[in-house]
């Protein structure tokens, strides 16, 4: 699901892509092609793999163009 350009979320994590940093080595597309797609827009489909797999692949990005954060900051209201 895409919230706005270059920011994607599956409810659990939010993934950010910074095109200026990307060196197009395609490590992401080769490693997890169902999520990081080169020919489809939006190009990141976070529903295509488990969150842990996506995080693992993001951590292999050589340029730092891909990053993520958890969306789990829930506040309990009594
Ligand atoms: S792994 Fe990182 S640097 Fe390589 S294509 Fe994907 S986003 Fe760009």
């Amino acid at each position: 699901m895409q919230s706005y350009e270059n920011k994607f979320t599956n409810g659990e994590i939010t993934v950010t892509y910074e095109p200026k940093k990307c060196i197009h080595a395609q490590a992401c597309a080769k490693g997890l092609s169902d999520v990081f797609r080169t020919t489809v827009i939006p190009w990141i489909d976070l529903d295509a793999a488990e969150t842990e797999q996506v995080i693992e692949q993001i951590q292999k990005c050589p340029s730092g163009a891909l990053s993520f954060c958890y969306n789990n900051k829930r506040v309990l209201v009594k």
Side-chain angles (χ1 to χ4, degrees):
M1 182 176 130
Q2 184 180 25
S3 52
Y4 62 85
E5 199 180 8
N6 295 325
K7 210 164 191 182
F8 307 83
T9 184
N10 63 1
E12 208 173 345
I13 57 169
T14 296
V15 174
T16 307
Y17 171 63
E18 294 178 60
K20 284 183 185 167
K21 285 190 184 175
C22 179
I23 56 171
H24 302 290
Q26 296 200 356
C28 54
K30 285 177 191 158
L32 206 54
S33 60
D34 288 341
V35 174
F36 302 101
R37 307 170 297 176
T38 53
T39 56
V40 188
I41 293 174
W43 80 281
I44 295 178
D45 178 11
L46 292 179
D47 296 329
E50 296 298 320
T51 296
E52 289 72 25
Q53 287 178 287
V54 174
I55 290 171
E56 215 170 280
Q57 192 59 50
I58 287 172
Q59 288 170 336
K60 291 178 187 165
C61 173
S63 69
L66 288 170
S67 60
F68 75 95
C69 64
Y70 288 97
N71 301 344
N72 61 356
K73 303 290 178 219
R74 286 192 193 154
V75 179
L76 293 175
V77 180
K78 288 185 180 176

